[in-house]
Amino acid sequence: MALSQERLGRYNPEKPMENRITDLGPRHFWQYFPPVIQKNYGKWLYHEILEPGVLVHVSETGDKVFTVRCGGCRFMSVEHVREICEIADKYCDGYVRFTTRNNIEFMVTSTDKLEALKKDLISRKHVSGSYKFPIGGTGAGLTNIVHTQGYLHCHTPATDASSMVKAVMDELFDYFQGMTLPAQVRISMACCLNMCGAVHCSDIALLGYHRKPPVIDHEVIDKVCEIPLVIAACPTGAISPAKTEDGQKTVKIKEERCMFCGNCYTMCMAVPLSDKEGDGVTIMAGGKVSNRMSQPKFSKVVVPWVPNNFPRYPEVCESVKKILEAYAKDANKYERIGDWAERIGWEKFFEKCDLPFTEHLIDDYRLAYDTYRTSSQFKYTDAAWEVSKAAGGID
Amino acid sequence: MAFEPREPQKELKYDELRIYSDDELNNYTEEELKNFKVKHNIPDVEELEKGPWPSFVADAKREALHRRKLSEDRMMIERDVVEDLLGQLQVSFDDGETHWKHGGIVGVFGYGGGVIGRYSDLPKKFPSIAHFHTLRVNQPASKFYSTDYLRSICDLWEFRGSGLLNMHGSTGDIIFLGTFTEQLEPVFYELTHVLQQDLGGSGSNLRTPSCCVGRARCEWACYDTQDMCYELTHYYQDELHRPAFPYKFKFKFDGCPNCCVASIARADMSFIGTWRDNIRIDQKAVKAYIGGEIKPNGGAHTGKDWGKFDIQKEVIDLCPTQCMWMEDGKLMIDDKECTRCMHCINVMPQALRPGKDTGVTILFGAKAPILEGAQMALLTVPFMKVEHPYDNVKELIDKVWDWWMEEGKNRERLGELIQRYGVPKFLDVIGLPPMPQMVKEPRSNPYIFWKEEDVPGGWKRTIEDYRKRHAR
């Protein structure tokens, strides 16, 4: 049965439930494996990264599969997918894979095909000059940034996603193509605190953040929202019931209690937060999900806010580069950014990354006490001398 | 080892399914693309065409030009959809704010998830994206594809939608970005009837489960991540499509403690492959690593000169439990002290392999910060054997869901419910005894919520009895 070319296809709006098929689930994965994957399923012995972006996996059967990993935009057109298909048909018997970090993986079984594939991939460029299929993202390097929708599709963002990823990856392109870092670096980007990208355990996290409390659309709030739900949505209890001058039900907000999470707006369209001057980017660092050596860690806020300077976000790029360059220079082999920061001490992290430490970085939300240092063990940095001076302890 | 799908899989051949002819697919030249201008003035957006990283703008412009040159009756929504989207992006840059309206309830009959309604708040200026609804399409486990399948969904989505998609969304689905309400049912009908393909989850239901590459192309997968992901996704189709939960619920399947799908940070129920016997050692390969014949860490560090490989410094000293040593030129591991962190295996994949008696560790309750802060998952089941059809896992899931659906507040994730009630209550509900592994350290306050039945004689006392012994 071919795909329908009628306006409504085979769907009959007069009888919407007619012949409806539901609960099919996803298609089965087995049919999408190239023969070498089917044959060696569960039999892989080891792998090696031959060069940045190129892996070989060796099976106990003696079979090998070569994988070329290419950076991709998660936002892509069908034209791009068709080009991926053209490549996969030409070199990979019509199979291709995507990774959880939006990379594209082409697999071949011979070195001849591998060389031809690589050559073809790097020759493909957009008319404006950017690579379509840059090879890299393996080993002790930077891989693709996972991200969210941003201004292209989301109703709650505090920044844009695709453009920031493009700007940052352009700046860090050499790290993507190389394996010069102490360990892998995972950057993630989420355009608001909802964190559809769950960036909270990343080596570096870029997070869109609002800084102005909601404005209230008194005229409609009682018609379009459940006011008790809006009140209950606020984690700090900043929202309470109120009446407008003409007696309509609405809410009022204790603005100094707002921490700008936007949960009220998620519940109710009548309390928007977004604002050109208020919105920007928070940068976090030192998280990871792997259990390797140390336990998984949350990312910590290291830059409280930088502006949304579209389309290239120079302040974001600069901060990320500072962290990455200090880490590349100073960390031990195998150390993730968080492991490094913990070994040298966070005070040294700020010194080495040349990032200012402001009061915003000291937790004052719930469980803040867990982050207090309750020890006389610390390292001296300029920040420490400044406090000593301010306290009248030294000249 | 081959797998049987739950239902026979229709073989998809693009040539039998296709909508567009070769001429239609190749309807513009590189020269035309170079000279192509979208209908709106988008200087900041076009700036993003520069630089080495793949430009989503340059890509979107290809689709815009392709649509311009297709005949009007070959697209069921407006041809300008991509151009209007880029135009609105420019306005969003100018204004420093999004221009998508809040919400919008649309969907397909019988499902409460899988479709996200989206409307532009500038519909007069950008009429082609007045509606821009999303469909989440449930990806096959670990995201391998045939080009027949991909080309078919491309034709379907270009014909009935914007031709723009995400490969893939954060949770794992293929995301079809942007169509009008009228086309939602037709897209769904074609997906199910022609492509034998279902939608994924959204809203307060089971979200589309996802897994790592697993046994398909990784030597460390301690269980069959693909099969388990596939089986549980199919088994829980009702929970996936019809919201009946307090909030979202995610399963993620990591084959080993490297956690490539981040289950420990993102999944309400996180499955991490592990083993309970000994790490397999090939002493010959250990020697080869020491002798510099094999590159450490699979060659991950070859971009920089880190000096000669030093097994003491790079493996033994970095072992978090210090359970390794060299003896007579052999690498020794005290496996009962090992916490299976994967470091030594990552560094010497040809010499060390996970054990053979494998299963999963199960953790509960991870989530992003909304609302009370981010949580990582709580280690709950240290080791479970998992074999198709995973009845032991399903039994556990049912107990967890029963409790959460009964007690969870609106928009309360499982991890928050566990915090609100305490881990002891959670263990009671799922019928598991406590173990020291569930905590980093025991509590440092003695504020134990003793229960009446814990205390001899119970709590029923009278003040009269007390007064018999103590004057007021």
Side-chain angles (χ1 to χ4, degrees), chain A residues 315-335:
Chain A
E315 297 86 354
V316 173
C317 294
E318 196 203 337
S319 301
V320 172
K321 269 175 94 169
K322 276 183 174 176
I323 298 168
L324 211 51
E325 282 167 9
Y327 163 72
K329 210 170 109 195
D330 198 62
N332 292 337
K333 191 177 178 185
Y334 306 116
E335 235 171 16

Side-chain angles (χ1 to χ4, degrees), chain B residues 222-295:
Chain B
C222 292
Y223 67 102
D224 200 326
T225 55
Q226 275 103 341
D227 186 60
M228 194 158 157
C229 184
Y230 177 82
E231 169 61 25
L232 293 189
T233 309
H234 276 260
Y235 188 76
Y236 293 115
Q237 281 291 294
D238 190 31
E239 287 79 359
L240 196 150
H241 296 302
R242 294 166 196 93
F245 288 157
Y247 201 13
K248 63 180 94 168
F249 196 95
K250 296 182 179 185
F251 295 139
K252 289 187 190 290
F253 305 91
D254 279 308
C256 83
N258 282 332
C259 282
C260 290
V261 287
S263 69
I264 201 163
R266 303 186 57 186
D268 298 271
M269 191 169 181
S270 153
F271 298 90
I272 302 177
T274 195
W275 62 95
R276 59 172 169 172
D277 52 349
N278 295 342
I279 291 177
R280 287 175 281 172
I281 311 179
D282 176 345
Q283 296 290 356
K284 228 171 89 187
V286 172
K287 281 205 176 69
Y289 277 104
I290 295 171
E293 292 150 46
I294 311 174
K295 290 178 205 149

Side-chain angles (χ1 to χ4, degrees), chain B residues 96-122:
Chain B
E97 289 179 310
T98 190
H99 279 288
W100 297 109
K101 281 188 195 175
H102 190 288
I105 295 170
V106 290
V108 294
F109 275 106
Y111 280 9
V115 183
I116 320 288
R118 191 63 73 225
Y119 300 91
S120 170
D121 68 13
L122 300 169

Side-chain angles (χ1 to χ4, degrees), chain A residues 82-335:
Chain A
R82 286 174 181 138
E83 190 165 349
I84 292 169
C85 291
E86 180 200 322
I87 299 165
D89 281 342
K90 197 167 169 191
Y91 301 97
C92 314
D93 303 319
Y95 297 96
V96 65
R97 167 175 193 257
F98 293 80
T99 73
T100 49
R101 300 194 75 90
N102 311 320
N103 293 311
I104 305 150
E105 291 187 338
F106 295 100
M107 281 157 277
V108 294
T109 49
S110 79
T111 46
D112 288 352
K113 272 195 177 165
L114 173 66
E115 290 311 313
L117 169 64
K118 272 165 37 190
K119 212 173 134 195
D120 188 341
L121 288 169
I122 47 181
S123 74
R124 290 173 189 258
K125 288 187 171 181
H126 285 294
V127 289
S128 51
S130 70
Y131 286 101
K132 286 176 177 170
F133 302 101
I135 298 172
T138 52
L142 172 70
T143 190
N144 205 346
I145 300 178
V146 290
H147 64 94
T148 55
Q149 300 286 20
Y151 292 162
L152 282 174
H153 198 261
C154 183
H155 64 296
T156 66
T159 187
D160 184 42
S162 300
S163 56
M164 193 187 302
V165 169
K166 165 73 173 149
V168 173
M169 285 308 284
D170 274 344
E171 286 285 332
L172 304 178
F173 192 65
D174 290 346
Y175 290 112
F176 175 80
Q177 289 196 309
M179 299 193 294
T180 56
L181 296 169
Q184 68 266 44
V185 171
R186 302 280 183 259
I187 305 183
S188 307
M189 193 278 150
C191 42
C192 83
L193 191 63
N194 278 320
M195 283 201 194
C196 301
V199 305
H200 55 288
C201 294
S202 306
D203 292 285
I204 299 176
L206 312 172
L207 176 65
Y209 215 91
H210 305 291
R211 291 189 310 168
K212 292 192 184 181
V215 282
I216 304 162
D217 194 343
H218 296 290
E219 218 173 280
V220 300
I221 187 163
D222 192 34
K223 298 185 193 86
V224 297
C225 307
E226 295 279 350
I227 284 181
L229 280 182
V230 185
I231 292 166
C234 180
T236 65
I239 305 177
S240 52
K243 286 241 164 88
T244 60
E245 274 175 21
D246 50 0
Q248 284 191 63
K249 280 187 190 164
T250 184
V251 297
K252 62 179 188 296
I253 296 174
K254 198 167 239 183
E255 296 192 331
E256 69 277 13
R257 230 190 248 179
C258 179
M259 45 84 160
F260 318 99
C261 67
N263 199 45
C264 53
Y265 185 58
T266 298
M267 299 303 290
C268 171
M269 58 79 81
V271 285
L273 287 86
S274 71
D275 183 88
K276 186 175 190 168
E277 291 160 326
D279 295 355
V281 185
T282 291
I283 300 176
M284 304 165 84
K288 67 176 190 115
V289 295
S290 156
N291 288 274
R292 184 175 183 173
M293 296 194 288
S294 60
Q295 294 183 3
K297 305 174 202 297
F298 287 123
S299 315
K300 283 89 183 164
V301 180
V302 295
V303 178
W305 191 84
V306 286
N308 278 332
N309 205 340
F310 306 115
R312 285 281 168 183
Y313 310 86
E315 297 86 354
V316 173
C317 294
E318 196 203 337
S319 301
V320 172
K321 269 175 94 169
K322 276 183 174 176
I323 298 168
L324 211 51
E325 282 167 9
Y327 163 72
K329 210 170 109 195
D330 198 62
N332 292 337
K333 191 177 178 185
Y334 306 116
E335 235 171 16

